[in-house]
Amino acid sequence: MVVEVRVKLKEQVLDPQGEAIRRVLAGLGYAEIEQVRVGKLMLLEVAGKDATAVRSRVEEACREVLANPVIEEFEVRLP
Amino acid sequence: MKWDAPATVELAREHGLSEEEFERILSDLGRVPNLTELGIFAALWSEHCSYKSSRVHLKKFPTRGPRVIQGPGENAGVVDLGQGWVTVFKMESHNHPSFIEPYQGAATGVGGILRDVFTMGARPVMILDSLRFGSLDAPRMPHLVDGVVRGIGDYGNCVGVPTVGGEVDFHPSYNGNILVNAMCVGVARGDGIFYGRASGPGNRVVYLGSKTGRDGIHGATMASDVFDETASAKRPTVQVGDPFTEKLLIECCLELMGKGLVVGIQDMGAAGLTSSAFEMAARAGCGLTLDLSRVPARERGMTPYELMLSESQERMVLVVTPDNVAPVLEVCGRWGLDAVEVGTVIPEPEVVARFEGRQAFRLPLAPLVDDAPRYDRPWVEPAPAAAVTLPNLRDREWAADLREMLASPVFASSRPVWQQYDQSVGASTVIGPGADAALQLIEGTNIGLAATTDCNALACSLDPFNGAAQAVAEAVRNLACVGAEPVGVTDCLNFGSPENPGVMGQFVAAVDGLAEACRAFEVPVVSGNVSFYNETSGTAIVPTPTVGMVGIVPGVRHRPRSHWHLGDAIYLLGPLEGELGGSRYLQIVLGLEAGPVPAVDYDGERRIAAVARDLVRLGLAAAKDLSDGGLAVAAVEMSGGTVGCKLSLPASTSPVRVLFGEWRVGFALATPVAMEPALERACEGLPLTRLGVAGGTKMVVTLGRKTVLEASISELAALSEKGLGWLSEA
């Protein structure tokens, strides 16, 4: 099944990339866009049918590899 | 809990303050502080900001000298270089953040030390990093090494300041508490120095740089807190650095100072707005008002507590005359940086802050800064390591021992580390990383500025006094290898908990050793940093007083070389044998961290270093000092991994002391044959031995007629290259 993983910086962490995009937007006439936060969307094709087992395995992969739990948070979505 | 709730002793304890300290706050203020005021006391009275356990001892350092313009107490030290130039430098630790989040921790460590230097009006020109890691098989350790190195590299590379030197060492005592000590060296014209002083009542306070977020709140108190097993669960929000904003800040601040638009300037480092506001006011003998509602906030609903204690990166405080506020804001706007007037300088020695139309706090300066607690903590004198009975060290396979040493992480080539760093941005680097010291030209002149960081923590754990003094001696020797004479020292003193009398004893002895050595070499200490509480679950790191030394070459005429060439004559300047106490040979080959560390022979060091320095300046020789690993390791390094050597010593010498003995006042020298007579003349009156010539593909050492070591030089060098090779593959 295809599992969707969203990784983004925790709310309290500075996002220099998002801030750079915000500045460009403001400069090109989109001043009403007040904040930009950039994250990652990953699509994982996982072998297995048991949704609970797949979820717990993908969440483990998120904690260990795909996200940096010190500064990032993640969300796992199953089909 | 609300930001203006009354403080209690429990809250004080949660902020790392003792019961006595809380009582003292009550009597200093004559009332109960609110939560925000308590947070401010906790930050400024933390070990990190107040130096409360170290200050009584740091007074022993020599801090004056004919070249010293600004000693300790400012953001960084300032030393005169002549011809109207000055250098500004400092070293600081970022140990705890780097252990929690290695990439951002190390990156923001570099960002912080850069700000300490450019806030004085100097352009940062060199970064050096002294790194200490645990065993590579300890949990997370390869991840920490990789993260720290990438963090330093990415920040330095983006901001456009070359990383030119430093050191990497490994010891199991750093398994739960790595060390990241970053040093920055800057250059300015002598009349262009600015200080962190909020003087002139009526002048305005301007906030410049990134917005304030909720990151790193309690960073300063965290840095003064022992790690326990729950540290990773507690995980305070770490700061994320933005080197591109830092680059804008550098250029913006240097422009503001160059145009004379600011009265005083300081970065917001540990304890954020709190430390910059209180320290700037205290230095000038004035006070400040602040309107916290005007501080640019990254998130909604931030409270005075958060605004005062946030450690968001890339922020500065400027003090500006009322007439200059508009021009200052104009310059900042041109650099794309947020700048806001947030307060005024007042004559009364206090900081008064308003928030949403009412008073947030009102605190007198004296109890927070000048009269902050000072402790003369109990300490016990460390017993220097005794001599050990060594096994039979006569007929060993010396080549095998050398291979074992070169294969250990301690002697692993740091190439995979520094090849990730931009070493030459700015186009002024003469000698970059991998040599004994880094050397740069001051732009547009032929004045050479050299820098090195040194500390043999193994030796300091055996004998903190002599180990620390030897670190200073080694720095002097390293500078001599690039032809530089020392002009000043910065230090970063990394120790365990000062509340442990044994650790405090190590600290006192190391400070005494540094002070004695700096006095003997006539090199003043102009800046520095103390990092206590480097321990995990009650186990302290080995004492690590890192020495950063800056030197000058008045006129650079050529690039000093660090390798020998085919056909060069090889000399040993200094005694033939070294000592084994506290040596790397005992540590790595015999598994012994033992033995006495000899006292520094100051007279000999000064005389021999002066000669080596002159030989290098005149281009008469390539020089390498004999410290870690002794002559055998120095020879492998000087070979460059390509040109072998044949070295002969008298039959009467001890092979282990000749090959691996340390702590000798000495240099290996290599010189073209035609220059031999000149070299010998220059060394007259000093112990000088011609060891042999460079050539062939092997390193061969004979004592009398007996060959004690024979090995392929490329194979030896490859062993050292392999150690950290995995870093460049990651």
Side-chain angles (χ1 to χ4, degrees):
Chain A
M1 66 181 88
V2 176
V3 180
E4 205 178 285
V5 173
R6 286 159 190 263
V7 179
K8 60 176 186 187
L9 286 168
K10 285 182 182 171
E11 210 161 300
Q12 300 176 351
V13 174
L14 173 71
D15 180 2
Q17 190 185 356
E19 180 58 17
I21 294 171
R22 189 201 59 77
R23 278 171 197 275
V24 172
L25 285 167
L28 293 175
Y30 295 90
E32 75 275 23
I33 300 180
E34 289 174 352
Q35 203 189 45
V36 179
R37 307 283 293 173
V38 179
K40 279 174 279 194
L41 170 66
M42 290 175 250
L43 299 175
L44 314 180
E45 212 169 306
V46 188
K49 295 217 160 47
D50 178 357
T52 322
V54 167
R55 172 179 289 277
S56 92
R57 190 77 178 135
V58 171
E59 283 180 349
E60 183 189 325
C62 285
R63 277 191 301 273
E64 298 291 324
V65 185
L66 299 176
N68 176 353
V70 182
I71 54 174
E72 292 174 326
E73 56 196 19
F74 60 84
E75 194 186 327
V76 175
R77 287 184 190 176
L78 268 59
Chain B
M1 179 154 314
K2 261 186 76 68
W3 58 268
D4 55 356
T8 61
V9 68
E10 288 75 33
L11 283 170
R13 210 174 292 126
E14 280 172 35
H15 280 77
L17 292 165
S18 68
E19 208 164 309
E20 297 76 52
E21 285 170 335
F22 185 62
E23 291 296 325
R24 200 169 146 179
I25 294 173
L26 296 181
S27 83
D28 281 345
L29 291 181
R31 61 180 171 85
V32 178
N34 67 30
L35 183 60
T36 301
E37 292 171 321
L38 182 73
I40 291 170
F41 267 99
L44 289 174
W45 282 11
S46 71
E47 199 61 63
H48 190 91
C49 290
S50 71
Y51 294 83
K52 60 186 169 191
S53 304
S54 56
R55 195 161 289 213
V56 292
H57 301 287
L58 298 177
K59 281 193 300 211
K60 297 173 206 158
F61 286 145
T63 57
R64 288 164 201 273
R67 286 182 184 271
V68 177
I69 294 171
Q70 174 67 52
E74 263 287 345
N75 288 299
V78 184
V79 173
D80 187 20
L81 295 173
Q83 299 180 39
W85 293 97
V86 299
T87 178
V88 176
F89 57 91
K90 188 180 182 185
M91 178 158 42
E92 207 162 66
S93 63
H94 227 218
N95 305 336
H96 296 79
S98 301
F99 184 75
I100 291 172
E101 165 44 43
Y103 179 91
Q104 295 295 349
T108 51
V110 171
I113 197 66
L114 286 170
R115 285 194 294 283
D116 278 337
V117 166
F118 74 73
T119 189
M120 304 287 296
R123 179 170 289 279
V125 294
M126 290 194 255
I127 299 168
L128 297 93
D129 304 282
S130 175
L131 311 177
R132 314 278 154 170
F133 299 107
S135 309
L136 284 172
D137 49 14
R140 290 178 75 226
M141 200 49 68
H143 164 75
L144 290 173
V145 177
D146 178 58
V148 164
V149 171
R150 281 190 301 113
I152 291 169
D154 284 0
Y155 203 99
N157 297 1
C158 290
V159 83
V161 179
T163 303
V164 293
E167 49 185 341
V168 185
D169 199 2
F170 297 86
H171 190 277
S173 76
Y174 305 115
N175 280 358
N177 194 124
I178 61 171
L179 302 185
V180 174
N181 294 175
M183 173 173 170
C184 177
V185 183
V187 169
R189 296 297 293 171
D191 52 8
I193 291 296
F194 282 78
Y195 297 99
R197 290 172 199 172
S199 48
N203 284 340
R204 304 291 194 257
V205 180
V206 173
Y207 172 112
L208 168 65
S210 296
K211 291 186 171 64
T212 299
R214 289 196 170 102
D215 37 6
I217 290 173
H218 281 178
T221 37
M222 173 179 81
S224 312
D225 231 334
V226 185
F227 274 157
D228 58 37
E229 301 293 350
T230 60
S232 31
K234 224 172 5 182
R235 263 180 195 152
T237 318
V238 290
Q239 306 110 286
V240 169
D242 179 0
F244 298 108
T245 298
E246 178 103 337
K247 172 66 176 168
L248 295 173
L249 267 186
I250 294 178
E251 300 305 331
C252 178
C253 291
L254 291 178
E255 180 178 339
L256 291 172
M257 289 184 267
K259 289 182 168 168
L261 290 174
V262 298
V263 174
I265 176 168
Q266 177 157 330
D267 74 306
M268 291 188 230
L273 184 54
T274 292
S275 61
S276 41
F278 281 84
E279 285 171 12
M280 286 181 85
R283 285 196 202 104
C286 293
L288 295 178
T289 64
L290 293 172
D291 184 352
L292 296 177
S293 308
R294 296 181 62 89
V295 171
R298 206 164 70 217
E299 295 172 56
R300 272 189 204 99
M302 287 190 63
T303 65
Y305 182 92
E306 293 166 323
L307 293 167
M308 285 305 293
L309 294 167
S310 161
E311 294 195 350
S312 290
Q313 298 287 298
E314 290 96 20
R315 302 180 301 155
M316 311 288 290
V317 172
L318 315 176
V319 171
V320 179
T321 60
D323 290 350
N324 280 336
V325 170
V328 163
L329 298 186
E330 193 272 323
V331 170
C332 300
R334 194 152 37 72
W335 288 105
L337 293 168
D338 287 334
V340 183
E341 188 184 320
V342 294
T344 309
V345 179
I346 53 172
E348 299 80 16
E350 59 182 5
V351 176
V352 188
R354 296 182 67 74
F355 181 67
E356 294 179 343
R358 65 189 178 101
Q359 184 170 300
F361 64 82
R362 176 184 210 118
L363 290 170
L365 291 179
L368 280 146
V369 187
D370 292 330
D371 301 336
R374 303 266 183 278
Y375 298 129
D376 192 352
R377 303 229 187 237
W379 52 278
V380 290
E381 194 157 348
V388 283
T389 319
L390 294 175
N392 178 16
L393 293 174
R394 295 188 147 263
D395 299 309
R396 288 178 62 95
E397 258 314 307
W398 301 112
D401 289 350
L402 177 57
R403 285 193 194 97
E404 188 177 346
M405 289 175 72
L406 293 170
S408 121
V410 171
F411 287 106
S413 161
S414 53
R415 186 189 313 275
V417 171
W418 49 257
Q419 74 183 5
Q420 301 190 37
Y421 303 153
D422 190 331
Q423 306 140 30
S424 52
V425 57
S428 296
T429 304
V430 179
I431 297 177
D436 292 280
L439 181 64
Q440 275 228 332
L441 286 176
I442 294 180
E443 204 182 347
T445 74
N446 66 349
I447 304 174
L449 193 57
T452 177
T453 68
D454 290 288
C455 175
N456 181 332
L458 168 65
C460 293
S461 73
L462 295 168
D463 184 336
F465 182 92
N466 283 332
Q470 289 283 4
V472 178
E474 190 182 343
V476 171
R477 290 197 296 265
N478 280 336
L479 290 181
C481 291
V482 300
E485 62 193 291
V487 295
V489 157
T490 180
D491 57 46
C492 195
L493 310 175
N494 309 273
F495 288 79
S497 165
E499 295 161 50
N500 173 338
V503 170
M504 199 59 209
Q506 293 175 335
F507 178 79
V508 174
V511 167
D512 287 343
L514 289 176
E516 179 193 89
C518 288
R519 214 163 255 124
F521 287 111
E522 295 175 38
V523 193
V525 178
V526 296
S527 60
N529 164 241
V530 178
S531 173
F532 277 131
Y533 298 101
N534 289 290
E535 52 183 63
T536 314
S537 306
T539 314
I541 59 160
V542 289
T544 315
T546 313
V547 172
M549 195 180 280
V550 173
I552 184 176
V553 185
V556 178
R557 288 185 195 83
H558 63 99
R559 180 184 193 276
R561 57 190 170 106
S562 44
H563 296 150
W564 57 48
H565 293 168
L566 186 65
D568 274 359
I570 299 167
Y571 285 84
L572 180 63
L573 174 60
L576 294 174
E577 297 182 339
E579 299 291 327
L580 291 175
S583 68
R584 296 296 191 178
Y585 182 83
L586 293 196
Q587 181 196 18
I588 295 166
V589 178
L590 302 181
L592 290 172
E593 295 192 357
V597 177
V600 178
D601 165 12
Y602 294 110
D603 195 43
E605 292 275 2
R606 271 196 306 262
R607 281 166 53 224
I608 288 190
V611 170
R613 182 191 305 146
D614 288 346
L615 290 171
V616 171
R617 279 188 191 173
L618 293 169
L620 283 174
K624 176 139 202 73
D625 75 309
L626 304 174
S627 44
D628 276 16
L631 178 64
V633 169
V636 174
E637 289 174 2
M638 286 190 90
S639 76
T642 50
V643 182
C645 61
K646 283 203 171 67
L647 310 177
S648 333
L649 288 110
S652 57
T653 51
S654 143
V656 67
R657 288 177 187 276
V658 164
L659 293 169
F660 302 112
E662 297 183 12
W663 317 118
R664 54 184 129 177
V665 188
F667 293 84
L669 303 173
T671 189
V673 175
M675 294 186 182
E676 280 190 64
L679 182 139
E680 290 184 4
R681 250 197 323 276
C683 295
E684 234 166 42
L686 295 173
L688 181 75
T689 313
R690 191 178 190 277
L691 296 180
V693 287
T697 57
K698 284 179 175 176
M699 172 172 168
V700 183
V701 182
T702 56
L703 300 193
R705 291 204 183 131
K706 191 172 173 195
T707 298
V708 292
L709 191 148
E710 183 167 358
S712 149
I713 201 76
S714 59
E715 178 229 339
L716 291 175
L719 283 172
S720 155
E721 289 295 334
K722 216 170 83 185
L724 291 174
W726 54 272
L727 259 182
S728 38
E729 290 148 23

